[in-house]
Amino acid sequence: MLKSGPGLAKGATLKRSLGLWAIVGLGLGYMTPTVVFDTFGMVARDTNNVVPLAYLVALIVMIFTAVSYGKMSGAIPSAGSAYTYVRESMHPNVGFMVGWTSLIDYMLLPMVNCLIIRSYLEAIFPAVPGWIWVVLYCLFVTTIIYLTMQGTSNVNMILLVFSIIVMIVFVFMVIVQLRGGEGIGTLASAQPFFHDGVTMSAVLMGSTVVCFSFIGFDAVTMYAEEAKTPKIMPRAILLTVVIGGAIFLIAGYFSQLRFPDWNVFAPGGDMQYVEDSTLPLIGQEVGGNVLQAVLTAAGFAATLASGLASHASVSRMLLVMGRNNVLPKKVFGYINPKTHTPTFNIVLTGLISMLAIAFTLEMIAAFINYGALIAFTAVNLSVIAWFAVRQGRRKTPKDIFKYIVMPGIGMVLTGVLWAHLHLDALIGGVIWTVLGFIYLLYITRFFKRKVAGFDEIQPVTGYNKVPIDTE
């Protein structure tokens, strides 16, 4: 258990107890493998039924970015993420803007979990209005986090294993059905990757959606101070991306063979499942009520655990921002003396999550990807700034390839995906970015003052009264 307070402020450090596979497991758990089924319908529609190709393109982009994350985690072996690397390699103000943009991810991820849970429960209880599930879920999660901010890493590992076992069973059942003539009736086909009518523009648009599935691999960097040795971090990051991508590719490939036309998820033109989660319907079609229940249970449990973790993370980041005067300290830096939790931040996150009543998973995923792709682009750029510019490692072909060409390719690829985001997400994201720049001008008095950082696990400064439990 880690507690912020006088002991931490005086130099207490995190215990280096996590090995390579423990960190990889945490990263995969954060990624939630079952999300491939949640977004399958919308990606199949957007790509004209080549979901695996969209995942393959996204995986290639993520590998380049993961390599850059690995380089930066080795150079700056401290807890943090994109804004930490950008702040240290380029400029604190640039880091602030990347961090501000990343707030979209943090603030909306709890809403995504709420949307997925709503879809599951609507499929099981179609007569109950969806808004009721949103309210009940938000009240449940908010209450738990309000009372205690205990971590869920051990639970996440159990849920991860359970989810993967269920996915293996699903693939086995699909194989049996394909051999029996269901779907396209064969186990080996190029159709899920290419057929007439597929365009690169559509594939890239679908890839921006599935990038949402990979969000979480970058969270591995926040375990840098708990790794047994910082040297394992680059491998842990890359393995998380590769293994997660392999899971998505395999599940997406066999799902596409089984469901070659996305219209099966929109009977009578009803786009509910396509725009939200197709997981319950996939389970129903492949294995009837039993598999639907098991697959939904796996997705439900993993999503709930992710929801608790993301809700707590948002509250913790807002607390740090408040305690360091990035946000109004009296409000966002408040700790309830009875519960030892940042109650205002927790309730605010719960209220924002209730907006899931009016949004679809497709739209919220697009907004999240806006912030994530900008952060990924910035990390690739930070490799060039840190190694090639600051350290001058650009004189040999090897250094040029490692510290300019590789991150340059990653930056271009993430930029291409960013440019193919949904128009509404681009407009909303740009507005959020402009607001962040205006706020930066205000808190720095037009760049006359230094801007404070707001890493999620950064020690909370000026805090010496009430301990907050952030196990």
Side-chain angles (χ1 to χ4, degrees):
M1 181 180 295
L2 171 66
K3 293 189 177 181
S4 300
L8 185 57
K10 291 178 181 178
T13 59
L14 297 171
K15 183 179 180 181
R16 291 197 174 276
S17 59
L18 298 177
L20 175 65
W21 292 108
I23 295 175
V24 171
L26 287 166
L28 291 174
Y30 207 96
M31 287 169 68
T32 316
T34 53
V35 74
V36 62
F37 302 123
D38 294 312
T39 58
F40 183 85
M42 70 178 75
V43 179
R45 178 198 61 192
D46 293 345
T47 62
N48 193 16
N49 303 304
V50 285
V51 173
L53 180 59
Y55 271 107
L56 181 61
V57 171
L59 176 59
I60 293 171
V61 176
M62 292 301 106
I63 286 175
F64 277 95
T65 302
V67 170
S68 291
Y69 267 97
K71 287 185 174 70
M72 293 309 298
S73 67
I76 307 174
S78 60
S81 193
Y83 35 86
T84 303
Y85 304 145
V86 174
R87 185 175 66 238
E88 297 297 325
S89 65
M90 286 183 270
H91 194 278
N93 292 335
V94 180
F96 175 88
M97 289 305 302
V98 172
W100 176 271
T101 307
S102 296
L103 277 176
I104 296 179
D105 303 358
Y106 280 91
M107 295 302 296
L108 296 185
L109 272 174
M111 191 193 301
V112 164
N113 292 301
C114 181
L115 282 165
I116 293 175
I117 293 292
R118 185 194 74 183
S119 298
Y120 293 166
L121 293 173
E122 282 179 335
I124 298 173
F125 306 101
V128 179
W131 68 266
I132 292 179
W133 299 124
V134 171
V135 172
L136 290 177
Y137 170 84
C138 290
L139 288 174
F140 174 73
V141 171
T142 302
T143 300
I144 291 177
I145 304 298
Y146 187 99
L147 297 175
T148 174
M149 289 182 71
Q150 287 185 328
T152 57
S153 60
N154 292 333
V155 176
N156 278 338
M157 184 63 75
I158 295 173
L159 294 174
L160 171 64
V161 173
F162 172 57
S163 300
I164 292 176
I165 291 174
V166 171
M167 294 177 76
I168 291 173
V169 172
F170 167 83
V171 169
F172 176 77
M173 294 182 67
V174 168
I175 289 174
V176 172
Q177 293 179 4
L178 289 171
R179 291 173 64 88
E182 297 285 348
I184 67 171
T186 180
L187 297 179
S189 173
Q191 185 172 324
F193 294 94
F194 179 79
H195 56 260
D196 291 340
V198 175
T199 65
M200 195 60 195
S201 177
V203 172
L204 288 172
M205 184 169 292
S207 296
T208 63
V209 177
V210 301
C211 274
F212 160 75
S213 304
F214 287 89
I215 290 178
F217 87 85
D218 55 319
V220 167
T221 59
M222 71 182 178
Y223 299 109
E225 294 182 17
E226 296 171 87
K228 290 182 178 180
T229 169
K231 294 180 180 179
I232 68 173
M233 290 308 301
R235 281 189 295 158
I237 295 169
L238 189 57
L239 281 172
T240 300
V241 171
V242 171
I243 294 174
I247 292 173
F248 294 142
L249 270 174
I250 293 171
Y253 174 75
F254 283 102
S255 296
Q256 194 70 83
L257 291 177
R258 179 63 178 78
F259 302 102
D261 185 359
W262 67 269
N263 284 288
V264 69
F265 302 117
D270 184 359
M271 302 294 287
Q272 176 187 355
Y273 286 110
V274 175
E275 294 178 351
D276 283 323
S277 172
T278 45
L279 181 145
L281 192 55
I282 288 175
Q284 175 70 40
E285 292 293 321
V286 172
N289 293 333
V290 174
L291 184 61
Q292 181 191 44
V294 174
L295 194 60
T296 301
F300 189 97
T303 304
L304 179 59
S306 178
L308 289 167
S310 60
H311 196 125
S313 295
V314 172
S315 304
R316 181 64 169 83
M317 172 169 273
L318 293 175
L319 170 67
V320 172
M321 293 177 71
R323 287 295 182 179
N324 288 293
N325 289 311
V326 178
L327 292 174
K329 186 174 182 178
K330 290 185 178 180
V331 179
F332 292 91
Y334 171 74
I335 300 293
N336 189 311
K338 293 183 179 179
T339 62
H340 295 180
T341 56
T343 49
F344 174 81
N345 301 338
I346 292 168
V347 173
L348 175 63
T349 303
L351 291 175
I352 292 174
S353 296
M354 283 194 183
L355 293 176
I357 293 173
F359 287 92
T360 64
L361 177 61
E362 180 180 22
M363 179 57 64
I364 298 303
F367 278 111
I368 289 175
N369 285 335
Y370 172 88
L373 288 172
I374 285 182
F376 295 164
T377 303
V379 170
N380 283 302
L381 183 59
S382 70
V383 172
I384 299 174
W386 181 267
F387 293 98
V389 178
R390 283 181 175 265
Q391 297 186 1
R393 301 182 67 173
R394 57 182 185 274
K395 298 177 181 179
T396 67
K398 181 179 180 181
D399 282 349
I400 291 174
F401 178 76
K402 289 177 62 177
Y403 304 123
I404 297 179
V405 175
M406 286 285 287
I409 293 173
M411 186 170 59
V412 170
L413 291 176
T414 52
V416 169
L417 292 184
W418 180 83
H420 282 79
L421 279 172
H422 194 286
L423 180 60
D424 290 340
L426 284 172
I427 294 173
V430 169
I431 291 173
W432 177 255
T433 303
V434 171
L435 290 175
F437 184 73
I438 294 172
Y439 186 61
L440 176 63
L441 292 176
Y442 170 73
I443 62 177
T444 60
R445 301 297 186 267
F446 286 87
F447 305 121
K448 294 178 181 179
R449 296 181 181 179
K450 292 183 178 180
V451 63
F454 51 95
D455 292 358
E456 181 188 352
I457 358 184
Q458 170 186 334
V460 184
T461 60
Y463 180 46
N464 55 12
K465 292 183 179 180
V466 182
I468 176 173
D469 184 352
T470 58
E471 181 184 14

